[in-house]
Amino acid sequence: MARLVSGLIRRFSLKSFSFFSKQKSNSRMSSIEDGSLEFPFLSDASNDSYYSRTLMIIRGLPGSGKTLLAQEINKRFRESCQVISYAPPLPDNSNQFEKLANDTSDSCKNGKEVVVVDHTNHHLEWLEQLFDIANCHQYTVLIIEPKTSWRHEMKQQCQCPPSEMEKMKEALSQPLLPLYYGWFLTHESEHHLKSLCKKFLKLMNELNEENKHLEEFSLNSAEKTINFETYFHHEGPLHCTTKYCNYGSAEGASEYSEKKAVKDNYGSAFKLAISALFITPRTLGAKVSLTHDQLRLWPNDEQQCKVGPPFGSRAHITLGVAPGVQDVQTGIDLLEMVSMMQEGDKFETVSEVSEGKLYYFPRGMWMLELTKNEEVKSVFSGYYSKRKNEEGKEGEDKKTEDKKTENKPSRWKCGLQ
């Protein structure tokens, strides 16, 4: 009788354990279904084209839900997606980073529209290698973290030593802010905007031949004519900057990154309205007219005055700058023209063309106000790259310090052919 009772108790205990284990598992799956997979890029099937050439970097502790999220992204984008996934490396297996970097680079080189890196991604130096790959192949970067309720728990079954897990958790708790936030144009929209810009520059070259106010344009008084198509240069992705963060050291950067609108819209698809193209002796740009929803992402450090340009008037896309001129000058030039337009008598209409009205402002500034706004597709994200020290050398101080630390990923160099 005692054996029978003991056996029944043991069977009941095993069934109870199995039942509660399933309940716990089902509870977690319910949590996933009820919000843990609510990301902008998973919500609207009509926005596939917005995520052309996007590198999604999923970071988090082992067992936090990264792989499940990667699988959902793969289901969403299907054959246009490539998921690269490895287990967290052990201290004696750091060469795994080199293979991970090579696989990521190959996927970008082969033109996969969405490349997903499923890894803990907690080393800053390793992340900078991924940023190198993205920038070399002109991919927009999205930093993604799971939203599961257990994402901060450290799993007992993880093969990493407890000390490594603590370091990992500490690294992942640090905010990862970009150089700047903004709307990044898709490749299709970049091509469209550049084509529109070429027409504008052709118009300016025709005016140059007629010598209409162009004597004020040249920075060099010895230059009598200017080829506008070769005068300016631009590097990096076409984008509309919202907030310059300098990786968190810029004033107001942390506060901006914590705004609800910024968190909710990170990774979201947007259509931007291009309302004008403009050119000055320093800059070439496109004026962006923001909607009410887009203005929620505009930083509050732009002064709102009763007299002066409306809030968000500085929104623009830099298409080129003259030698020695920084991109930030583009917004300054735009604000100056908008202010003069408000005053009403400090500009003149030079001509009307099929694309719109061409205005001339003092000191060699011009604006083509488009008859109809041109829409471009974009994704709201951040621009990530290697950090620079005070001397301007990219990461030299950090790399020197990292060499003293064990289990750091090996460097990977981007080689474009």
Side-chain angles (χ1 to χ4, degrees), residues 244-301:
Y244 176 72
C245 295
N246 196 20
Y247 313 107
S249 63
E251 183 178 356
S254 297
E255 292 81 0
Y256 178 82
S257 67
E258 291 298 320
K259 287 180 61 174
K260 187 177 187 302
V262 173
K263 288 185 173 183
D264 289 348
N265 286 284
Y266 184 84
S268 294
F270 285 90
K271 285 183 180 179
L272 298 181
I274 307 298
S275 58
L277 299 172
F278 59 92
I279 191 171
T280 79
R282 299 161 297 278
T283 59
L284 171 67
K287 185 179 186 296
V288 177
S289 295
L290 300 176
T291 65
H292 176 74
D293 287 340
Q294 290 164 359
L295 281 172
R296 294 169 57 231
L297 294 168
W298 201 249
N300 295 326
D301 51 7

Side-chain angles (χ1 to χ4, degrees), residues 133-396:
I133 295 171
N135 295 334
C136 281
H137 298 285
Q138 300 180 357
Y139 273 62
T140 299
V141 172
L142 287 179
I143 306 292
I144 307 166
E145 297 184 6
K147 296 182 179 180
T148 53
S149 59
W150 62 88
R151 61 188 179 276
H152 300 304
E153 299 176 11
M154 293 190 291
K155 305 301 177 185
Q156 296 292 333
Q157 65 270 28
C158 179
Q159 298 180 26
C160 293
S163 60
E164 290 297 321
M165 286 290 289
E166 287 293 343
K167 291 178 183 178
M168 193 183 302
K169 187 174 183 179
E170 172 63 23
L172 290 168
S173 68
Q174 301 301 317
L176 185 62
L177 271 62
L179 182 61
Y180 55 82
Y181 284 99
W183 292 282
F184 293 81
L185 271 60
T186 65
H187 278 248
E188 177 188 6
S189 288
E190 276 199 4
H191 178 75
H192 174 66
L193 185 54
K194 287 178 180 178
S195 297
L196 192 66
C197 181
K198 285 182 179 179
K199 293 180 181 179
F200 176 48
L201 293 178
K202 182 179 179 181
L203 173 63
M204 293 302 299
N205 277 327
E206 291 172 355
L207 288 174
N208 193 27
E209 295 172 359
E210 299 174 11
N211 198 26
K212 291 184 177 180
H213 296 296
L214 268 298
E215 69 278 359
E216 296 182 15
F217 187 93
S218 177
L219 291 176
N220 184 351
S221 59
E223 295 182 19
K224 294 182 179 180
T225 60
I226 298 168
N227 185 341
F228 292 97
E229 296 185 38
T230 59
Y231 186 78
F232 298 97
H233 71 277
H234 182 265
E235 296 180 358
L238 292 187
H239 66 280
C240 177
T241 301
T242 56
K243 176 65 178 178
Y244 176 72
C245 295
N246 196 20
Y247 313 107
S249 63
E251 183 178 356
S254 297
E255 292 81 0
Y256 178 82
S257 67
E258 291 298 320
K259 287 180 61 174
K260 187 177 187 302
V262 173
K263 288 185 173 183
D264 289 348
N265 286 284
Y266 184 84
S268 294
F270 285 90
K271 285 183 180 179
L272 298 181
I274 307 298
S275 58
L277 299 172
F278 59 92
I279 191 171
T280 79
R282 299 161 297 278
T283 59
L284 171 67
K287 185 179 186 296
V288 177
S289 295
L290 300 176
T291 65
H292 176 74
D293 287 340
Q294 290 164 359
L295 281 172
R296 294 169 57 231
L297 294 168
W298 201 249
N300 295 326
D301 51 7
E302 180 178 301
Q303 295 296 325
Q304 298 185 57
C305 305
K306 293 181 180 179
V307 179
F311 183 63
S313 294
R314 185 173 53 84
H316 68 278
I317 297 170
T318 297
L319 299 172
V321 292
V325 177
Q326 295 183 341
D327 286 5
V328 68
Q329 183 66 44
T330 314
I332 297 172
D333 288 350
L334 174 59
L335 280 179
E336 186 175 357
M337 283 183 277
V338 172
S339 297
M340 284 191 280
M341 290 191 80
Q342 278 194 310
E343 295 177 16
D345 58 351
K346 293 191 176 182
F347 68 99
E348 64 178 87
T349 303
V350 175
S351 63
E352 292 191 31
V353 293
S354 58
E355 291 83 4
K357 292 183 179 180
L358 182 64
Y359 300 111
Y360 166 74
F361 299 83
R363 297 183 296 282
M365 298 192 292
W366 301 75
M367 179 180 289
L368 177 63
E369 188 177 61
L370 300 176
T371 302
K372 181 181 178 182
N373 288 349
E374 294 283 342
E375 286 189 338
V376 291
K377 296 178 180 179
S378 68
V379 172
F380 181 71
S381 183
Y383 181 79
Y384 304 85
S385 63
K386 286 197 289 275
R387 305 188 183 195
K388 296 181 180 181
N389 59 24
E390 294 179 358
E391 287 75 26
K393 297 179 182 179
E394 293 186 344
E396 288 300 323

